[in-house]
Amino acid sequence: MRANGQERAADTGASIAGRGIKKVFGTGPSAHHALGPIDLDVKPGEFVSLIGPSGCGKSTTMLLVAGLEKTTEGKIEIDGVPLSAPLSEVGIVFQDHLLLEFRTAIRNVMLQQEIRRLDRQELRERADALFEKLGLTGAENRYPWQLSGGMRQRVSIARALVHQPSMLLMDEPFGALDAITRTQIRHDLEMLWLETRKTVLFITHSIEEAVGLSDRVLVMSDGPGKIVDEIHIDLPRPRPAHLGDYPDFAQYAQRVYTTFEKLGIYKFK
Amino acid sequence: MTTAATAVSDTPGRPFKGEWIWSLVFPVLSVIVFLGTWEILIRVLEVPAWLVPKPSDFLSRLSTDFTTIAGHAWVTSKTIAFGFAIGVLIAVPLALAIVSVRSLERGLFPVIIFLNIMPKTVVGPIFVVWFGIGPLASVIIVFLMCFFPVLVDSMSGFRAVDPRLYHITRSMGASQLQTFRYIRIPASMRYIFAGMKIGIVKAIEGVIIAEFIASSAGLGFMIMRASSFMDTTLMFSGLIATASVALVFNGLMVAAERLLMPWARQ
């Protein structure tokens, strides 16, 4: 739907403005109040992380912002236009790569072109450029089962970016990767983001990832999901692999731990 | 042929050069030893041919009675091909309909389960009454035999897509038709093929039984008639012919799978 004010220059991010967002799944006695009400404001080009325990409504928030779930109450505006249908100018990455096993890496990315009926050659050039930046050159014609976990997730990121969306939604994108791969891919994502400045909503369980990547971290609690703390991360970019080098990093991380402890998410003796 | 084979085996740098030759030699050798022992035992013990024929008898029968046996094999193959094709052509779209329409699933699934667990050959005599002795009854039995495995596996295939993938395709603005074309149909191929592989085995099993009871042609009929004449040698020749037909159909399935799903080769 082009009605969502998505006609825009390709190199700017979208803004998100959510007021009193609430989500209840089901009705009657089996109803589950999953989220809210919360307010969510993200500036164009901002990198915002949502961090919180499992089941705190992080993923629900993401789906609501993408227009893939309807809010029970409240409203969400993308670039000032109320959300009424699935957001089109968006790229989504989940914890699982969700690549199609019957398509090669490059054709998985080009699915965006085929379904959206975009210009084939232009998209192919962009896909090639993304493959180069993501260290995927040479893997174009391999099937997902021929790629490592990290490479699959890189292809998945390329698929989410090739159509130049104004917003990137990532639901624990590195959750299934090993620690070494995770550090590298985190850095690569940051470099890519610095170049394009899409708005990013990044969901994670990892305090290091949240602090390492974000401009702002929103800490959530569960039952129902609420935003309980907001931390502006004021660290220079690009941020190094070893975040411990920044004395500030420890303070930011400590603040998240303390919040979790206060909420009873962590019980240390 | 010989030169090509030599060329391959002489390719330098091939690891374990010639290993494939042994994978050919061993099975052939074991078959020869098996048949040879059989032949010798029958000759030494002077077992009559009507009880257990010698391999030399039923193998030479394959060439002396080639026209007859090949004619019956052709009939059997056509029955398999028709029954199987109808089975797949109905099962796959029906699976798609059942998965897509909830009420269809609720209404039809118990019936399908019942028909699936019911031994299909039981209906053979009924079909003889309804359709008479002839190819139609056999085709329908073959159809029934392979229909259910294809249906059930196709259904799991159409359900196999991770629902979160639809989040991504919806954000792409994919229409229902595009989702089928780009995602659901190709994603279900692996499952449909798994069903078809079981289906073809069932079809071959079914065709012989169908021809036992409801046919005037085909390998099953030929074997049954040979039995009534105590022509045990021809029965064994029929067994070899049936196995050959089964091999051809399995080979066709493997070839089709390689052709249609190049990505699945691991």
Side-chain angles (χ1 to χ4, degrees):
Chain A
M1 295 298 279
R2 290 275 155 186
N4 285 323
Q6 291 158 28
E7 294 289 359
R8 54 174 27 266
D11 53 351
T12 53
S15 69
I16 307 168
R19 289 283 161 278
I21 309 166
K22 187 177 162 187
K23 182 66 184 176
V24 180
F25 289 104
T27 48
S30 66
H32 170 59
H33 184 179
L35 178 73
I38 61 164
D39 291 342
L40 178 72
D41 283 290
V42 180
K43 288 195 284 290
E46 197 179 16
F47 199 124
V48 174
S49 287
L50 291 176
I51 188 167
S54 292
C56 74
K58 306 187 293 287
S59 301
T60 306
T61 309
M62 189 189 95
L63 292 178
L64 291 171
V65 169
L68 294 164
E69 288 277 0
K70 282 190 162 55
T71 52
T72 311
E73 275 171 35
K75 68 171 180 181
I76 301 172
E77 289 180 355
I78 307 296
D79 280 339
V81 180
L83 202 53
S84 58
L87 200 58
S88 163
E89 279 219 16
V90 71
I92 306 176
V93 181
F94 286 101
Q95 181 174 348
D96 306 293
H97 54 86
L98 296 177
L99 297 176
L100 299 168
E101 59 157 3
F102 46 88
R103 282 181 169 243
T104 56
I106 192 78
R107 292 200 64 230
N108 260 290
V109 174
M110 292 298 278
L111 186 71
Q112 291 276 13
Q113 177 264 325
E114 288 176 55
I115 291 187
R116 291 172 188 267
R117 298 198 172 91
L118 301 170
D119 184 81
R120 188 178 191 85
Q121 200 177 345
E122 191 191 338
L123 269 278
R124 178 61 204 239
E125 277 162 21
R126 268 192 240 153
D128 286 339
L130 277 169
F131 266 50
E132 206 192 318
K133 280 172 200 157
L134 286 162
L136 287 167
T137 310
E140 287 88 351
N141 296 320
R142 292 206 220 149
Y143 288 103
W145 62 267
Q146 296 170 308
L147 301 172
S148 68
M151 285 170 96
R152 279 182 215 145
Q153 204 57 318
R154 286 163 188 272
V155 175
S156 186
I157 292 171
R159 177 178 63 185
L161 289 173
V162 71
H163 54 297
Q164 295 188 329
S166 53
M167 195 193 299
L168 188 57
L169 302 175
M170 307 183 97
D171 190 352
E172 287 185 53
F174 312 144
L177 304 177
D178 65 87
I180 295 171
T181 309
R182 210 151 49 198
T183 305
Q184 181 63 52
I185 203 169
R186 188 188 81 209
H187 170 76
D188 294 345
L189 175 70
E190 188 187 15
M191 296 310 283
L192 215 55
W193 174 78
L194 284 172
E195 207 174 295
T196 54
R197 296 280 178 173
K198 318 264 180 221
T199 305
V200 182
L201 196 60
F202 188 92
I203 289 165
T204 182
H205 279 133
S206 157
I207 294 172
E208 193 181 355
E209 260 171 32
V211 176
L213 279 166
S214 314
D215 296 323
R216 196 149 56 93
V217 177
L218 301 174
V219 186
M220 292 184 75
S221 72
D222 55 357
K226 285 258 168 62
I227 294 171
V228 289
D229 197 10
E230 179 189 40
I231 311 168
H232 289 269
I233 310 294
D234 191 16
L235 296 176
R237 290 183 188 273
R239 295 173 186 166
H242 187 235
L243 291 154
D245 290 347
Y246 290 126
D248 294 350
F249 170 76
Q251 283 172 22
Y252 290 130
Q254 187 55 47
R255 187 158 152 198
V256 181
Y257 281 115
T258 311
T259 310
F260 280 171
E261 223 171 333
K262 245 189 276 171
L263 292 166
I265 291 160
Y266 281 138
K267 294 177 187 70
F268 294 123
K269 284 171 188 148
Chain B
M1 283 304 269
T2 329
T3 47
T6 325
V8 169
S9 64
D10 282 345
T11 308
R14 240 177 113 89
F16 310 115
K17 181 167 85 170
E19 200 171 57
W20 64 278
I21 296 182
W22 289 108
S23 70
L24 266 177
V25 166
F26 276 122
V28 170
L29 214 62
S30 55
V31 169
I32 290 173
V33 169
F34 174 70
L35 291 180
T37 315
W38 181 343
E39 182 84 26
I40 290 163
L41 277 177
I42 302 291
R43 281 176 191 269
V44 170
L45 300 174
E46 292 176 354
V47 181
W50 59 264
L51 190 60
V52 185
K54 293 191 291 289
S56 59
D57 292 338
F58 61 77
L59 288 177
S60 62
R61 195 73 181 270
L62 281 173
S63 78
T64 53
D65 285 17
F66 180 77
T67 330
T68 319
I69 296 171
H72 286 300
W74 177 241
V75 171
T76 299
S77 302
K78 273 199 297 189
T79 312
I80 295 171
F82 277 122
F84 182 72
I86 297 170
V88 172
L89 287 178
I90 295 181
V92 175
L94 185 64
L96 192 54
I98 291 174
V99 169
S100 311
V101 184
R102 239 200 135 75
S103 54
L104 257 187
E105 175 169 10
R106 282 208 204 110
L108 279 182
F109 210 62
V111 182
I112 288 164
I113 299 249
F114 172 77
L115 289 175
N116 192 19
I117 58 165
M118 182 191 73
K120 257 62 71 182
T121 43
V122 168
V123 293
I126 303 173
F127 286 171
V128 173
V129 173
W130 285 351
F131 308 111
I133 304 279
L136 185 59
S138 304
V139 167
I140 294 175
I141 289 173
V142 170
F143 159 77
L144 282 178
M145 290 291 278
C146 60
F147 176 75
F148 293 102
V150 179
L151 179 79
V152 172
D153 278 14
S154 302
M155 282 172 61
S156 359
F158 290 124
R159 287 207 188 95
V161 179
D162 190 316
R164 282 169 308 167
L165 188 59
Y166 296 133
H167 287 322
I168 294 178
T169 54
R170 276 176 70 206
S171 80
M172 293 178 184
S175 65
Q176 196 82 319
L177 205 68
Q178 282 180 318
T179 312
F180 274 121
R181 183 180 152 200
Y182 291 111
I183 317 278
R184 293 188 82 169
I185 304 275
S188 63
M189 290 280 277
R190 182 190 282 279
Y191 294 80
I192 294 175
F193 261 102
M196 290 204 297
K197 278 185 184 160
I198 301 169
I200 199 77
V201 173
K202 293 259 177 194
I204 294 159
E205 225 175 275
V207 77
I208 298 300
I209 294 166
E211 287 171 352
F212 281 170
I213 54 176
S215 186
S216 54
L219 289 171
F221 167 76
M222 187 190 84
I223 291 167
M224 210 57 179
R225 196 177 52 177
S227 168
S228 61
F229 289 122
M230 296 282 267
D231 189 352
T232 320
T233 310
L234 186 61
M235 291 168 70
F236 272 82
S237 306
L239 192 149
I240 303 279
T242 311
S244 308
V245 168
L247 266 176
V248 167
F249 275 98
N250 276 309
L252 286 176
M253 291 300 297
V254 172
E257 189 177 17
R258 292 218 168 152
L259 197 71
L260 292 169
M261 307 199 308
W263 70 86
R265 241 185 284 179
Q266 260 165 288

